[in-house]
Amino acid sequence: MRVCTSAGVATMSVTVESAGSTDIGRVRKNNEDHFLIADLVKQLRVTQTSLLPSEDGGWKAGVTGHLFVVADGMGGMSGGEVASGLAVETISWYVAKTMPWFYRHQDGREVELEHELRNAVRVTQDTVKDAAEHSRFRRMGTTLTLACLLWPRIYVVHAGDSRCYIRRGDTLTRLTTDHTLAQRAVDEGVLTASQAEAAGLGHALWNCIGAGQKDVTPELHHTTLQVGDELLLCTDGLTRRLTDENLLAILKRSDSPARAVKALIEAANEAGGQDNITAIVARTGQVDDPNATKTHTIALSRAV
């Protein structure tokens, strides 16, 4: 989706073109992944007034931010699909209900914004946990990786082993840390990466939404973007099949987010497709003529 975003007080206009897709892969019988791409819009909807309408037909602002979410469910049968869908739905509800706090970064209250992002994950944990306790999917759970783009800042909050990357030129940087026992063992120097994987710790999560866990520990990162930066959010069905070098090469040679997403999923399937695969790619760019008409392209799909 391509939209025009104001770059703070600067006169430069920035486009954010994005696309997402999820695929069942070549082995699994159902798709337990879900994703979301949404625009954040400030708007006052006038139902009645004695005033004449403004020249642009109303009191509203254009797109001022973007929300990207991926969730990878777990729990067997349809439990994972329920958990990941409920997580994405809860995040959507939370953001819609509490929209004003998304703009606190604009007046220096970034800490409050970060607190609310963490709280959004905790509310999601409570929702999934409660649903699990009242259903036959008692162990259902999901990863959750959320990126909120409020140009030029990007805020990423995360639990599990789905990932968020930033590509800047020839460099691909991972913002998130895998919340697996394997990664923890490597970080603590107990095992090497190959030893941890051989021990079967790569699939064991110590931090996620639901899955019988009492609490969740949201991990949060923020950074400042530059025009031309590209975001990749994805589930481990992609990153367990493709190396970071593979991901970078595909992103670099793809001329649009939609083609990048398609190529990433195809490559993961060609490498075995042993899990569900979900990817979101968002690419920023500069508009030479801020008054020019913006095109809108949508490339959202779910392969089941």
Side-chain angles (χ1 to χ4, degrees):
M1 185 175 298
R2 178 175 294 166
V3 295
C4 184
T5 300
S6 172
V9 296
T11 57
M12 177 182 66
S13 291
V14 174
T15 60
V16 178
E17 185 180 2
S18 60
S21 185
T22 183
D23 187 89
I24 195 171
R26 293 185 173 178
V27 175
R28 298 296 179 90
K29 294 182 178 180
N30 65 313
N31 193 342
E32 296 185 320
D33 287 1
H34 280 286
F35 73 97
L36 171 77
I37 298 175
D39 296 332
L40 305 179
V41 182
K42 288 182 178 179
Q43 183 170 349
L44 174 68
R45 183 180 180 185
V46 179
T47 58
Q48 188 175 10
T49 181
S50 61
L51 298 174
L52 294 175
S54 60
E55 292 183 0
D56 64 358
W59 293 268
K60 62 182 179 180
V63 174
T64 55
H66 310 273
L67 188 68
F68 309 104
V69 185
V70 295
D72 180 358
M74 65 199 80
M77 298 178 69
S78 298
E81 185 176 0
V82 172
S84 61
L86 187 56
V88 172
E89 184 177 289
T90 302
I91 286 292
S92 305
W93 166 84
Y94 190 93
V95 171
K97 182 179 178 182
T98 60
M99 185 68 71
W101 57 257
F102 267 96
Y103 304 101
R104 290 177 180 172
H105 75 295
Q106 296 174 340
D107 56 8
R109 292 186 288 169
E110 187 172 61
V111 173
E112 293 182 32
L113 169 61
E114 294 175 353
H115 170 77
E116 291 293 351
L117 283 169
R118 289 189 177 95
N119 194 53
V121 176
R122 295 188 181 101
V123 169
T124 302
Q125 159 70 6
D126 291 341
T127 301
V128 173
K129 178 183 174 184
D130 182 67
E133 290 174 350
H134 294 86
S135 76
R136 60 192 178 97
F137 304 121
R138 295 300 181 92
R139 299 292 298 179
M140 72 178 184
T142 182
T143 69
L144 181 68
T145 299
L146 177 157
C148 177
L149 197 169
L150 300 169
W151 184 263
R153 300 288 280 166
I154 181 78
Y155 303 87
V156 178
V157 64
H158 147 81
D161 61 354
S162 296
R163 295 180 179 179
C164 179
Y165 294 86
I166 293 179
R167 180 178 79 88
R168 180 171 296 167
D170 294 330
T171 302
L172 186 68
T173 302
R174 177 152 56 106
L175 294 185
T176 54
T177 302
D178 291 347
H179 295 161
T180 61
L181 294 182
Q183 187 62 56
R184 174 175 277 185
V186 171
D187 292 342
E188 294 176 353
V190 177
L191 298 172
T192 65
S194 58
Q195 288 172 336
E197 195 65 30
L201 300 180
H203 292 281
L205 297 176
W206 63 265
N207 185 45
C208 63
I209 304 292
Q213 293 199 117
K214 182 178 179 181
D215 299 303
V216 65
T217 304
E219 173 189 325
L220 190 142
H221 301 273
H222 60 250
T223 190
T224 300
L225 297 178
Q226 298 178 8
V227 174
D229 284 352
E230 191 168 39
L231 297 176
L232 168 63
L233 278 75
C234 57
T235 58
D236 70 340
L238 185 73
T239 54
R240 286 187 178 277
R241 298 295 98 196
L242 304 178
T243 66
D244 286 3
E245 290 75 18
N246 297 147
L247 300 177
L248 176 60
I250 292 172
L251 291 173
K252 286 178 62 178
R253 69 172 180 256
S254 301
D255 60 4
S256 73
R259 289 188 176 91
V261 167
K262 185 174 184 291
L264 288 166
I265 290 176
E266 287 178 350
N269 272 324
E270 289 172 1
Q274 295 180 349
D275 198 354
N276 309 144
I277 311 157
T278 299
I280 293 174
V281 174
R283 183 174 295 176
T284 65
Q286 185 171 344
V287 180
D288 295 328
D289 180 7
N291 297 316
T293 300
K294 307 303 182 300
T295 60
H296 295 260
T297 59
I298 300 177
L300 308 179
S301 62
R302 180 176 180 84
V304 294

